[in-house]
């Protein structure tokens, strides 16, 4: 051990009691910052700086559709923890289910046997998926769901190839990052990524096809055929993975006709179609699943985010035969399908059914879309408003004719909205799309309030 390291080790040992640091100064400073509610200053010295943060605020608690900062100010939460707390904060049914399960049992690992909330949630998920999707593997997150889907596809088909769409986001683990390309930052410095992954253009209707859905679909299908003709034969492709509406990539809906053509192509060649519904699923888009708009049924659906309203939980759902062919022990998890998360998931799906929240998402989504389109008609900085249900984006451009992306104005608008009391986030490869993700039990009055604050933020921001 070099002398400096030796001194450091000795100092640490002297300041510790049985390995527990008793550094009074640091602990006292942390307590003082916590008492002041300055969680930013409390966190920054020792939290990794790796996370990009939308806001530098310190948050205290949430109640319904309001998120409160430590100064006691309530913000209308149209970010929902990036499409996760879809029933808002401190939801009575979800909170009660979590407390009840926490009182009974926190964890066993599902490899040890069977638990009521886990079994119940699997059967409820099978109920809300179209036939023949009836078999669930639980994990902890969206990226884990994608990993599971990709591993299943390779193992079951015995083929190596995986095809994903340019601009997609599927998560940060190596497998998920290999099929992700919404930002170069998610891939930079991580090569070599997973081999035999091929990226193909997404039918991005606004950005590349002048609002022409048919041309976008035809262009993307032609590109896919070129890929299959020149780079990897269809017989070597295990799966094609797609977000029915690209989320992080800019809230870009895939045209329904394109999804149907994709389904047909997969059927023709025995390729598994994976729908990544991590952001779009669980009633977010005015349907339980975004793929329903096209009438297709994928082979595997990836679910996470809103499934447990904020507790970590992910899942893949497929027909039984696929998961039987995957093979016992071919994949696994310690925490996945934790009973507390599953109890929350049961409460989420029950609440959606009892309160008709799929219909609410569709109806409030129409109000939001209409309101944003009215704002766009008065403000040329917004080039496009698009989405389904309560997943709606407003794309900022420097020039309506060239559609040159304007991430700077978009970022300024997010901050201006927050100043006024509205939390919205941005997305898109150029960070130029404001994304509206209100809770799925949002009211018309709240949609109106959110639109008013967005309009005021735009008016307060001078146009160039
Ligand atoms: C479509 C999609 N897939 C996967 C993920 C990854 O989910 P997680 O962050 O839970 O790993 C996300 C996260 O934003 C997502 O939007």
């Amino acid at each position: 051990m070099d002398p400096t390291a030796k001194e450091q080790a000795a100092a640490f040992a002297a300041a510790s009691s049985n390995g527990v640091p008793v550094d009074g100064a640091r602990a006292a400073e942390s307590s003082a910052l916590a008492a002041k509610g300055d969680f930013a200053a409390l966190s920054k010295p020792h939290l990794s700086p790796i996370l990009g943060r939308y806001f530098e605020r310190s948050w205290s608690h949430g109640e319904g559709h309001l998120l409160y900062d430590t100064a006691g100010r309530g913000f209308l939460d149209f970010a929902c923890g990036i499409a996760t707390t879809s029933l808002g904060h401190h939801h009575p049914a979800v909170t009660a289910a979590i407390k009840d399960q926490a009182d009974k049992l926190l964890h066993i690992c599902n490899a040890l046997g069977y638990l009521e909330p886990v079994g119940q949630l699997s059967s409820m998920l099978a109920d809300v998926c179209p036939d023949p999707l009836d078999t669930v593997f639980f994990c902890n997150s969206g990226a884990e769901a994608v990993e599971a889907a990709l591993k299943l596809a390779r193992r079951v088909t015995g083929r190596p190839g995986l095809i994903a769409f340019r601009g997609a986001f599927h998560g940060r683990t190596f497998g998920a990052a290999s099929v992700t390309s919404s930002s170069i930052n998610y891939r930079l410095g991580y090569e070599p990524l997973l081999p035999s992954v091929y990226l193909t253009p997404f039918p991005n209707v606004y950005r590349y096809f002048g609002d022409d859905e048919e041309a976008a679909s035809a262009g993307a299908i032609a590109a896919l055929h070129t890929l299959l003709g020149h780079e990897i034969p269809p017989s070597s492709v295990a799966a094609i993975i797609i977000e029915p509406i690209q989320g992080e990539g800019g809230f870009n809906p895939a045209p329904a006709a394109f999804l149907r053509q994709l389904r047909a192509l997969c059927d023709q060649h025995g390729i598994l179609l994976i729908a990544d519904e991590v952001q779009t699923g669980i009633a977010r888009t005015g349907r339980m699943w975004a793929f329903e708009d096209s009438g297709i049924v994928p082979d595997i659906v990836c679910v996470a985010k809103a499934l447990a309203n904020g507790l970590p939980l992910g899942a893949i759902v497929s027909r039984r035969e696929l998961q039987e062919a995957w093979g016992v022990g071919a994949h696994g998890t310690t925490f996945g399908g934790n009973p507390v998360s599953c109890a929350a998931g049961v409460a989420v799906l029950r609440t959606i059914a009892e309160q008709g929240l799929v219909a609410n998402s569709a109806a409030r989504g129409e109000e939001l879309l209409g309101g944003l389109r009215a704002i766009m008609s008065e403000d040329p900085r917004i080039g496009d408003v698009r989405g389904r249900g309560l997943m709606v984006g407003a794309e900022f451009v420097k020039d309506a004719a060239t559609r040159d992306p304007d991430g700077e104005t978009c970022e300024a608008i997010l901050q201006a909205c927050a100043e006024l009391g509205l939390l919205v986030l941005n997305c898109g490869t150029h960070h130029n799309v404001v994304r509206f993700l209100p809770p799925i039990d949002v009211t018309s009055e709240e949609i109106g309030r959110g639109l008013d604050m967005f309009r005021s933020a735009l008016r307060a921001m001078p146009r160039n």
Side-chain angles (χ1 to χ4, degrees):
M1 202 185 284
D2 76 60
T4 326
K6 223 173 183 173
E7 273 168 33
Q8 282 172 342
F12 178 75
S16 312
S17 156
N18 296 325
V20 179
V22 287
D23 177 350
R26 188 181 284 162
E29 195 182 319
S30 296
S31 302
L33 289 169
K36 262 179 35 191
D38 190 349
F39 302 154
L42 169 70
S43 308
K44 280 184 178 182
H46 303 291
L47 268 189
S48 167
I50 187 66
L51 272 191
R53 287 178 205 270
Y54 289 98
F55 305 109
E56 287 295 312
R57 294 165 192 271
S58 297
W59 302 106
S60 151
H61 65 284
E63 191 59 51
H65 299 166
L66 294 179
L67 186 60
Y68 287 87
D69 68 11
T70 48
R73 182 170 178 214
F75 295 69
L76 185 61
D77 188 358
F78 279 13
C80 281
I82 320 190
T84 294
T85 53
S86 279
L87 297 180
H89 304 284
H90 196 203
H91 188 278
V94 177
T95 303
I98 292 170
K99 283 183 172 165
D100 185 48
Q101 183 58 40
D103 277 340
K104 281 189 202 145
L105 184 66
L106 289 185
H107 174 77
I108 56 161
C109 177
N110 289 324
L112 270 75
Y114 298 94
L115 295 170
E116 183 188 347
V118 186
Q120 210 176 356
L121 185 59
S122 67
S123 108
M124 289 172 89
L125 268 173
D127 267 351
V128 296
C129 283
D131 286 340
L133 305 176
D134 65 353
T135 299
V136 181
F137 168 79
F138 284 119
C139 52
N140 298 287
S141 67
E144 280 191 24
V146 168
E147 293 290 334
L150 300 180
K151 286 177 75 178
L152 182 159
R154 275 193 172 167
R155 178 90 159 221
V156 168
T157 62
R159 303 172 178 185
L162 299 167
I163 296 179
F165 289 88
R166 213 156 278 141
F169 183 86
H170 296 294
R172 306 292 201 139
T173 51
F174 263 106
S178 303
V179 288
T180 287
S181 55
S182 58
S183 164
I184 193 70
N185 201 23
Y186 304 157
R187 302 172 66 91
L188 185 75
Y190 296 138
E191 300 262 351
L193 293 165
L194 213 57
S196 301
V197 171
Y198 299 81
L199 301 183
T200 189
F202 184 83
N204 190 322
V205 177
Y206 172 74
R207 185 128 299 280
Y208 301 120
F209 292 95
D211 304 318
D212 185 340
E213 281 200 5
E214 231 171 86
S217 298
I221 283 290
L224 191 50
H225 280 298
T226 304
L227 176 71
L228 296 171
H230 291 263
E231 290 174 56
I232 180 160
S235 56
S236 295
V237 178
I240 299 180
I241 182 166
I242 188 164
E243 299 162 88
I245 302 175
Q246 282 191 336
E248 303 303 303
F251 278 27
N252 309 310
F258 175 75
L259 289 175
R260 286 193 285 271
Q261 285 170 280
L262 199 58
R263 178 69 273 181
L265 187 142
C266 287
D267 287 342
Q268 189 188 346
H269 298 291
I271 297 170
L272 297 177
L273 181 58
I274 303 170
D276 182 345
E277 292 265 3
V278 166
Q279 190 157 167
T280 49
I282 318 285
R284 170 55 54 197
T285 65
R287 305 263 195 181
M288 184 56 80
W289 312 108
F291 64 72
E292 289 175 68
D293 263 335
S294 63
I296 67 155
V297 178
D299 296 294
I300 305 173
V301 182
C302 300
V303 193
K305 286 196 184 279
L307 181 54
N309 206 52
L311 287 194
L313 185 62
I316 60 167
V317 191
S318 76
R319 60 184 179 275
R320 186 148 206 90
E321 165 217 332
L322 281 181
Q323 298 202 39
E324 278 172 356
W326 199 4
V328 175
H331 192 53
T333 169
T334 298
F335 288 124
N338 170 277
V340 183
S341 297
C342 286
V346 168
V348 166
L349 292 186
R350 203 170 270 156
T351 303
I352 289 174
E354 285 172 1
Q355 299 185 359
L357 295 182
V358 174
N360 191 63
S361 171
R364 302 291 82 75
E366 284 302 314
E367 293 166 8
L368 178 59
L369 203 61
L372 288 174
R373 288 200 169 132
I375 293 173
M376 175 172 78
S377 70
E378 298 160 4
D379 195 324
R381 291 173 296 183
I382 303 177
D384 193 29
V385 166
R386 56 178 178 264
R388 308 254 198 284
L390 291 169
M391 182 173 182
V392 180
E395 176 152 359
F396 282 77
V397 290
K398 291 185 179 145
D399 179 322
T402 62
R403 304 188 171 184
D404 198 8
D406 187 357
E408 218 172 286
T409 299
C410 183
E411 174 59 31
I413 291 291
L414 297 192
Q415 301 305 330
C417 284
E419 285 303 316
L420 292 169
L422 172 69
L423 290 183
V424 282
L425 307 175
N426 61 349
C427 62
T429 299
H430 307 284
H431 311 292
N432 67 320
V433 180
V434 173
R435 52 173 150 177
F436 292 79
L437 291 162
I440 57 171
D441 55 354
V442 71
T443 63
S444 292
E445 185 276 328
E446 288 167 328
I447 290 289
R449 205 152 21 106
L451 286 166
D452 285 346
M453 284 190 266
F454 182 60
R455 192 181 290 108
S456 301
L458 284 166
R459 286 189 180 149
M461 185 107 6
R463 295 182 197 178
N464 293 327

